[in-house]
Amino acid sequence: MFRYLSILLPLLLLASCDSFFEKESPLPHNPERPVLPPARDRRFVVDSIRYYFDYWSSKTTQLADETCIVIISNSLDQEWYDTPSPPQDPLYNYSYFSSEDPVLAQIYTDTLRVRTPCYVDDDNHIVLGDSLYSFQSFTAEVTLAEIDRTIDEICIPPHTETYVYGRYSINYYNIAYTAWLTETTSNTPVTIEGMWEGSIVNDDFTTRTESHPL
């Protein structure tokens, strides 16, 4: 009996010591970042943002579905010419910032505005647009007319119904970023890393025509 107690007592003491040190010496969640105020009291400003094309970044270009812009009928005995107007249906440029850092989800205001990429060339050089957009997700409405596209004059053969079809392309991007912010309530610098996702409607609208007898 005493022999078992002599074995158990050191084991129990060791277990109690481990428990003690676990409670008294917890590791901080992120020792490099100072403690921020509660989420409801946080106010951020963006000091700067940098985009870079890394291993996880990507870019693709896809053609949008071809759509019929207009149908023009010519019942005359001679051909005539027309210049259709670009379609006015809205298109959308899209932007979204993501990060594994939980602070990003705690930025509630849309007053944080940054420049976002508008083009990535063949050497993966990133070109930023001139406009400032929300650091949160957003969609910007545009039309083909607003991106300065015109349709060339087309010939409408006699006694035909001519269909004018249009198509454009969209660039899709996933680009790494680092954003340097300051939490103004506590004057705490915060660095966030993640991915920016965006889609940009290109200025490459093209048309084709099909004519059928009336």
Side-chain angles (χ1 to χ4, degrees), residues 21-75:
F21 285 118
E22 287 177 4
K23 292 178 181 178
E24 294 297 323
S25 303
L27 292 175
H29 177 68
N30 188 345
E32 298 180 359
R33 174 173 293 172
V35 177
L36 294 172
R40 66 179 181 275
D41 298 328
R42 295 175 187 173
R43 302 291 183 272
F44 292 94
V45 294
V46 178
D47 300 317
S48 63
I49 187 167
R50 174 177 172 262
Y51 303 91
Y52 48 96
F53 206 89
D54 65 2
Y55 177 80
W56 303 105
S57 302
S58 64
K59 57 180 179 180
T60 58
T61 301
Q62 297 181 13
L63 286 174
D65 293 337
E66 188 177 61
T67 58
C68 183
I69 300 171
V70 66
I71 303 173
I72 305 173
S73 296
N74 181 10
S75 59

Side-chain angles (χ1 to χ4, degrees), residues 46-52 95-97 111-119 125-136 138 175-179 196 200:
V46 178
D47 300 317
S48 63
I49 187 167
R50 174 177 172 262
Y51 303 91
Y52 48 96
S95 171
Y96 177 73
F97 289 88
T111 57
L112 295 182
R113 297 187 177 275
V114 295
R115 295 173 67 189
T116 57
C118 66
Y119 179 70
H125 175 69
I126 300 169
V127 179
L128 300 185
D130 294 329
S131 300
L132 295 175
Y133 292 113
S134 170
F135 195 62
Q136 282 69 38
F138 82 96
I175 301 174
Y177 76 89
T178 300
W196 174 81
I200 309 295

Side-chain angles (χ1 to χ4, degrees), residues 36-44 102-103 105-109 183-186:
L36 294 172
R40 66 179 181 275
D41 298 328
R42 295 175 187 173
R43 302 291 183 272
F44 292 94
V103 170
Q106 298 167 357
I107 300 176
Y108 301 106
T109 177
E183 198 290 307
T184 58
T185 305
S186 60

Side-chain angles (χ1 to χ4, degrees), residues 60-199:
T60 58
T61 301
Q62 297 181 13
L63 286 174
D65 293 337
E66 188 177 61
T67 58
C68 183
I69 300 171
V70 66
I71 303 173
I72 305 173
S73 296
N74 181 10
S75 59
L76 302 177
D77 294 332
Q78 61 183 17
E79 65 184 23
W80 56 282
Y81 293 85
D82 192 11
T83 304
S85 299
Q88 298 299 314
D89 294 338
L91 309 173
Y92 297 94
N93 292 334
Y94 173 73
S95 171
Y96 177 73
F97 289 88
S98 62
S99 175
E100 295 181 356
D101 194 319
V103 170
L104 180 64
Q106 298 167 357
I107 300 176
Y108 301 106
T109 177
D110 64 355
T111 57
L112 295 182
R113 297 187 177 275
V114 295
R115 295 173 67 189
T116 57
C118 66
Y119 179 70
V120 179
D121 65 17
D122 293 337
D123 296 323
N124 293 333
H125 175 69
I126 300 169
V127 179
L128 300 185
D130 294 329
S131 300
L132 295 175
Y133 292 113
S134 170
F135 195 62
Q136 282 69 38
S137 61
F138 82 96
T139 54
E141 181 177 313
V142 296
T143 66
L144 291 173
E146 288 174 339
I147 58 177
D148 196 24
R149 287 303 299 174
T150 58
I151 299 177
D152 295 333
E153 187 178 59
I154 60 175
C155 176
I156 313 299
H159 302 288
T160 62
E161 193 171 57
T162 297
Y163 294 75
V164 182
Y165 296 93
R167 173 173 275 188
Y168 57 91
S169 67
I170 305 174
N171 288 338
Y172 294 92
Y173 297 117
N174 285 274
I175 301 174
Y177 76 89
T178 300
W180 291 268
L181 297 81
T182 298
E183 198 290 307
T184 58
T185 305
S186 60
N187 200 31
T188 302
V190 176
T191 302
I192 298 177
E193 296 181 336
M195 296 295 292
W196 174 81
E197 302 173 30
S199 64

